[in-house]
Short mmCIF file of all heavy atoms in Angstrom, two decimals:
data_model
loop_
_atom_site.label_atom_id
_atom_site.label_comp_id
_atom_site.label_asym_id
_atom_site.label_seq_id
_atom_site.Cartn_x
_atom_site.Cartn_y
_atom_site.Cartn_z
N ALA A 93 -27.03 2.94 0.79
CA ALA A 93 -26.46 2.97 -0.55
C ALA A 93 -24.97 2.65 -0.54
O ALA A 93 -24.40 2.32 -1.57
CB ALA A 93 -26.69 4.33 -1.18
N LEU A 94 -24.32 2.78 0.62
CA LEU A 94 -22.89 2.50 0.72
C LEU A 94 -22.66 0.99 0.61
O LEU A 94 -23.19 0.22 1.39
CB LEU A 94 -22.34 3.02 2.05
CG LEU A 94 -20.85 2.79 2.33
CD1 LEU A 94 -20.00 3.47 1.26
CD2 LEU A 94 -20.49 3.31 3.71
N GLN A 95 -21.87 0.59 -0.39
CA GLN A 95 -21.63 -0.82 -0.62
C GLN A 95 -20.14 -1.12 -0.62
O GLN A 95 -19.34 -0.37 -1.19
CB GLN A 95 -22.21 -1.25 -1.97
CG GLN A 95 -23.73 -1.28 -2.04
CD GLN A 95 -24.21 -1.77 -3.39
OE1 GLN A 95 -24.02 -1.12 -4.41
NE2 GLN A 95 -24.81 -2.95 -3.40
N ASP A 96 -19.77 -2.23 0.00
CA ASP A 96 -18.41 -2.72 -0.11
C ASP A 96 -18.16 -3.16 -1.55
O ASP A 96 -19.08 -3.54 -2.27
CB ASP A 96 -18.18 -3.91 0.81
CG ASP A 96 -18.26 -3.54 2.28
OD1 ASP A 96 -18.16 -2.34 2.59
OD2 ASP A 96 -18.41 -4.45 3.13
N GLY A 97 -16.91 -3.14 -1.96
CA GLY A 97 -16.60 -3.65 -3.29
C GLY A 97 -15.52 -2.86 -3.98
O GLY A 97 -14.92 -1.93 -3.41
N PHE A 98 -15.24 -3.23 -5.22
CA PHE A 98 -14.21 -2.60 -6.03
C PHE A 98 -14.79 -1.37 -6.76
O PHE A 98 -15.84 -1.46 -7.38
CB PHE A 98 -13.67 -3.59 -7.07
CG PHE A 98 -13.00 -4.79 -6.48
CD1 PHE A 98 -13.69 -5.99 -6.34
CD2 PHE A 98 -11.67 -4.75 -6.10
CE1 PHE A 98 -13.07 -7.12 -5.81
CE2 PHE A 98 -11.04 -5.86 -5.57
CZ PHE A 98 -11.75 -7.05 -5.42
N TYR A 99 -14.06 -0.25 -6.68
CA TYR A 99 -14.51 0.98 -7.32
C TYR A 99 -13.36 1.60 -8.12
O TYR A 99 -12.20 1.55 -7.70
CB TYR A 99 -14.96 2.00 -6.28
CG TYR A 99 -16.28 1.68 -5.62
CD1 TYR A 99 -16.34 0.81 -4.53
CD2 TYR A 99 -17.47 2.24 -6.08
CE1 TYR A 99 -17.55 0.50 -3.93
CE2 TYR A 99 -18.68 1.95 -5.48
CZ TYR A 99 -18.72 1.07 -4.41
OH TYR A 99 -19.92 0.77 -3.80
N GLN A 100 -13.71 2.17 -9.25
CA GLN A 100 -12.73 2.92 -10.02
C GLN A 100 -12.92 4.41 -9.75
O GLN A 100 -13.84 4.83 -9.06
CB GLN A 100 -12.85 2.61 -11.51
CG GLN A 100 -14.18 2.96 -12.14
CD GLN A 100 -14.25 2.49 -13.60
OE1 GLN A 100 -13.48 1.64 -14.04
NE2 GLN A 100 -15.17 3.06 -14.36
N LYS A 101 -12.04 5.21 -10.32
CA LYS A 101 -11.95 6.64 -9.98
C LYS A 101 -13.24 7.42 -10.24
O LYS A 101 -13.56 8.35 -9.51
CB LYS A 101 -10.79 7.27 -10.76
CG LYS A 101 -10.41 8.67 -10.31
CD LYS A 101 -9.19 9.16 -11.08
CE LYS A 101 -8.81 10.56 -10.66
NZ LYS A 101 -8.23 10.61 -9.31
N ASP A 102 -13.99 7.02 -11.27
CA ASP A 102 -15.22 7.76 -11.59
C ASP A 102 -16.41 7.34 -10.74
O ASP A 102 -17.53 7.82 -10.94
CB ASP A 102 -15.56 7.63 -13.07
CG ASP A 102 -15.91 6.19 -13.48
OD1 ASP A 102 -15.96 5.30 -12.60
OD2 ASP A 102 -16.14 5.96 -14.68
N GLY A 103 -16.17 6.44 -9.78
CA GLY A 103 -17.23 6.03 -8.87
C GLY A 103 -17.97 4.77 -9.27
O GLY A 103 -18.82 4.28 -8.52
N GLU A 104 -17.65 4.23 -10.44
CA GLU A 104 -18.33 3.01 -10.88
C GLU A 104 -17.88 1.81 -10.06
O GLU A 104 -16.68 1.61 -9.83
CB GLU A 104 -18.07 2.74 -12.36
CG GLU A 104 -18.80 1.51 -12.89
CD GLU A 104 -18.53 1.24 -14.36
OE1 GLU A 104 -17.87 2.09 -15.01
OE2 GLU A 104 -18.98 0.19 -14.86
N ARG A 105 -18.85 1.02 -9.62
CA ARG A 105 -18.55 -0.20 -8.87
C ARG A 105 -18.32 -1.34 -9.86
O ARG A 105 -19.13 -1.55 -10.77
CB ARG A 105 -19.70 -0.54 -7.92
CG ARG A 105 -19.42 -1.67 -6.94
CD ARG A 105 -20.52 -1.73 -5.89
NE ARG A 105 -20.27 -2.76 -4.91
CZ ARG A 105 -20.79 -3.98 -4.95
NH1 ARG A 105 -21.60 -4.32 -5.96
NH2 ARG A 105 -20.52 -4.88 -4.03
N LEU A 106 -17.23 -2.08 -9.68
CA LEU A 106 -16.83 -3.11 -10.62
C LEU A 106 -16.92 -4.49 -9.99
O LEU A 106 -16.74 -4.65 -8.78
CB LEU A 106 -15.39 -2.87 -11.10
CG LEU A 106 -15.08 -1.51 -11.73
CD1 LEU A 106 -13.60 -1.43 -12.07
CD2 LEU A 106 -15.92 -1.29 -12.97
N SER A 107 -17.15 -5.48 -10.81
CA SER A 107 -17.07 -6.87 -10.34
C SER A 107 -15.61 -7.30 -10.31
O SER A 107 -14.74 -6.67 -10.92
CB SER A 107 -17.85 -7.78 -11.29
OG SER A 107 -17.18 -7.90 -12.54
N VAL A 108 -15.34 -8.38 -9.60
CA VAL A 108 -13.97 -8.88 -9.54
C VAL A 108 -13.51 -9.30 -10.94
O VAL A 108 -12.31 -9.17 -11.28
CB VAL A 108 -13.87 -10.05 -8.52
CG1 VAL A 108 -14.64 -11.27 -9.00
CG2 VAL A 108 -12.41 -10.41 -8.25
N LYS A 109 -14.42 -9.77 -11.77
CA LYS A 109 -14.07 -10.13 -13.14
C LYS A 109 -13.66 -8.90 -13.94
O LYS A 109 -12.73 -8.95 -14.76
CB LYS A 109 -15.23 -10.85 -13.82
CG LYS A 109 -15.52 -12.23 -13.24
CD LYS A 109 -16.70 -12.88 -13.96
CE LYS A 109 -17.00 -14.25 -13.38
NZ LYS A 109 -18.16 -14.89 -14.05
N ASP A 110 -14.38 -7.79 -13.73
CA ASP A 110 -14.03 -6.53 -14.41
C ASP A 110 -12.61 -6.10 -14.05
O ASP A 110 -11.84 -5.68 -14.92
CB ASP A 110 -15.00 -5.42 -14.01
CG ASP A 110 -16.41 -5.65 -14.50
OD1 ASP A 110 -16.57 -6.32 -15.54
OD2 ASP A 110 -17.35 -5.16 -13.84
N VAL A 111 -12.28 -6.18 -12.76
CA VAL A 111 -10.96 -5.75 -12.30
C VAL A 111 -9.88 -6.67 -12.86
O VAL A 111 -8.82 -6.20 -13.32
CB VAL A 111 -10.90 -5.72 -10.76
CG1 VAL A 111 -9.53 -5.25 -10.29
CG2 VAL A 111 -11.99 -4.81 -10.19
N ALA A 112 -10.14 -7.96 -12.88
CA ALA A 112 -9.17 -8.91 -13.43
C ALA A 112 -8.94 -8.65 -14.92
O ALA A 112 -7.80 -8.68 -15.40
CB ALA A 112 -9.66 -10.34 -13.21
N ARG A 113 -10.01 -8.38 -15.63
CA ARG A 113 -9.90 -8.11 -17.06
C ARG A 113 -9.08 -6.84 -17.29
O ARG A 113 -8.24 -6.78 -18.20
CB ARG A 113 -11.29 -7.98 -17.66
CG ARG A 113 -11.34 -8.03 -19.19
CD ARG A 113 -12.76 -8.10 -19.68
NE ARG A 113 -13.45 -9.30 -19.21
CZ ARG A 113 -14.50 -9.30 -18.39
NH1 ARG A 113 -14.99 -8.14 -17.96
NH2 ARG A 113 -15.07 -10.42 -18.02
N ARG A 114 -9.31 -5.82 -16.47
CA ARG A 114 -8.57 -4.56 -16.63
C ARG A 114 -7.07 -4.77 -16.44
O ARG A 114 -6.26 -4.22 -17.19
CB ARG A 114 -9.06 -3.54 -15.61
CG ARG A 114 -8.13 -2.32 -15.49
CD ARG A 114 -8.63 -1.29 -14.52
NE ARG A 114 -9.88 -0.70 -14.99
CZ ARG A 114 -10.46 0.33 -14.38
NH1 ARG A 114 -9.92 0.86 -13.30
NH2 ARG A 114 -11.58 0.82 -14.85
N PHE A 115 -6.70 -5.55 -15.43
CA PHE A 115 -5.29 -5.67 -15.08
C PHE A 115 -4.57 -6.84 -15.76
O PHE A 115 -3.38 -7.05 -15.52
CB PHE A 115 -5.15 -5.82 -13.56
CG PHE A 115 -5.38 -4.55 -12.79
CD1 PHE A 115 -6.08 -4.57 -11.59
CD2 PHE A 115 -4.89 -3.34 -13.25
CE1 PHE A 115 -6.28 -3.40 -10.86
CE2 PHE A 115 -5.09 -2.17 -12.54
CZ PHE A 115 -5.78 -2.19 -11.34
N SER A 116 -5.25 -7.58 -16.60
CA SER A 116 -4.67 -8.80 -17.17
C SER A 116 -3.47 -8.53 -18.08
O SER A 116 -2.66 -9.43 -18.32
CB SER A 116 -5.74 -9.59 -17.95
OG SER A 116 -6.24 -8.82 -19.03
N THR A 117 -3.34 -7.32 -18.59
CA THR A 117 -2.21 -6.99 -19.46
C THR A 117 -1.09 -6.26 -18.71
O THR A 117 -0.10 -5.86 -19.33
CB THR A 117 -2.67 -6.12 -20.64
OG1 THR A 117 -3.26 -4.90 -20.14
CG2 THR A 117 -3.70 -6.86 -21.48
N TYR A 118 -1.23 -6.11 -17.41
CA TYR A 118 -0.22 -5.40 -16.62
C TYR A 118 0.92 -6.34 -16.25
O TYR A 118 0.77 -7.56 -16.23
CB TYR A 118 -0.84 -4.83 -15.34
CG TYR A 118 -1.66 -3.58 -15.54
CD1 TYR A 118 -2.65 -3.49 -16.51
CD2 TYR A 118 -1.45 -2.46 -14.73
CE1 TYR A 118 -3.40 -2.33 -16.69
CE2 TYR A 118 -2.19 -1.29 -14.89
CZ TYR A 118 -3.16 -1.24 -15.87
OH TYR A 118 -3.91 -0.10 -16.03
N ASP A 119 2.07 -5.75 -15.92
CA ASP A 119 3.23 -6.54 -15.48
C ASP A 119 3.13 -6.90 -14.00
O ASP A 119 3.44 -8.03 -13.60
CB ASP A 119 4.53 -5.77 -15.73
CG ASP A 119 4.75 -5.47 -17.20
OD1 ASP A 119 4.79 -6.42 -17.99
OD2 ASP A 119 4.86 -4.27 -17.54
N VAL A 120 2.73 -5.94 -13.19
CA VAL A 120 2.63 -6.15 -11.74
C VAL A 120 1.32 -5.56 -11.23
O VAL A 120 0.96 -4.42 -11.58
CB VAL A 120 3.79 -5.48 -10.96
CG1 VAL A 120 3.77 -5.91 -9.49
CG2 VAL A 120 5.14 -5.80 -11.59
N ILE A 121 0.62 -6.32 -10.41
CA ILE A 121 -0.60 -5.84 -9.76
C ILE A 121 -0.37 -5.93 -8.26
O ILE A 121 -0.08 -7.03 -7.73
CB ILE A 121 -1.83 -6.67 -10.15
CG1 ILE A 121 -1.98 -6.73 -11.66
CG2 ILE A 121 -3.09 -6.09 -9.50
CD1 ILE A 121 -2.64 -7.98 -12.15
N PHE A 122 -0.46 -4.83 -7.58
CA PHE A 122 -0.32 -4.79 -6.13
C PHE A 122 -1.71 -4.79 -5.49
O PHE A 122 -2.56 -3.99 -5.86
CB PHE A 122 0.43 -3.52 -5.68
CG PHE A 122 1.82 -3.41 -6.23
CD1 PHE A 122 2.07 -2.72 -7.41
CD2 PHE A 122 2.89 -3.99 -5.56
CE1 PHE A 122 3.34 -2.61 -7.92
CE2 PHE A 122 4.18 -3.89 -6.06
CZ PHE A 122 4.40 -3.20 -7.25
N PHE A 123 -1.91 -5.69 -4.55
CA PHE A 123 -3.19 -5.75 -3.82
C PHE A 123 -2.90 -5.42 -2.37
O PHE A 123 -2.32 -6.23 -1.64
CB PHE A 123 -3.80 -7.15 -3.96
CG PHE A 123 -5.29 -7.21 -3.67
CD1 PHE A 123 -6.16 -7.82 -4.56
CD2 PHE A 123 -5.81 -6.68 -2.50
CE1 PHE A 123 -7.52 -7.90 -4.32
CE2 PHE A 123 -7.17 -6.74 -2.23
CZ PHE A 123 -8.03 -7.35 -3.15
N GLY A 124 -3.28 -4.21 -1.96
CA GLY A 124 -3.03 -3.77 -0.59
C GLY A 124 -4.15 -4.19 0.34
O GLY A 124 -5.31 -3.83 0.11
N GLU A 125 -3.81 -4.90 1.38
CA GLU A 125 -4.80 -5.47 2.29
C GLU A 125 -4.64 -4.92 3.70
O GLU A 125 -3.62 -4.32 4.05
CB GLU A 125 -4.63 -6.99 2.36
CG GLU A 125 -3.25 -7.38 2.92
CD GLU A 125 -3.13 -8.86 3.22
OE1 GLU A 125 -3.47 -9.68 2.36
OE2 GLU A 125 -2.65 -9.19 4.33
N TYR A 126 -5.67 -5.15 4.52
CA TYR A 126 -5.53 -5.06 5.97
C TYR A 126 -5.42 -6.49 6.46
O TYR A 126 -6.29 -7.32 6.20
CB TYR A 126 -6.74 -4.35 6.59
CG TYR A 126 -6.79 -2.88 6.24
CD1 TYR A 126 -7.70 -2.39 5.29
CD2 TYR A 126 -5.92 -1.98 6.85
CE1 TYR A 126 -7.72 -1.04 4.96
CE2 TYR A 126 -5.95 -0.62 6.52
CZ TYR A 126 -6.85 -0.16 5.58
OH TYR A 126 -6.87 1.17 5.24
#
Side-chain angles (χ1 to χ4, degrees):
L94 179 61
Q95 290 182 293
D96 293 343
F98 297 97
Y99 287 84
Q100 61 185 18
K101 191 176 179 71
D102 65 4
E104 182 180 353
R105 189 169 182 263
L106 304 177
S107 71
V108 67
K109 292 180 181 179
D110 293 332
V111 181
R113 194 172 298 116
R114 166 178 295 187
F115 285 140
S116 62
T117 59
Y118 283 50
D119 298 302
V120 189
I121 306 151
F122 299 93
F123 200 129
E125 62 170 49
Y126 291 104

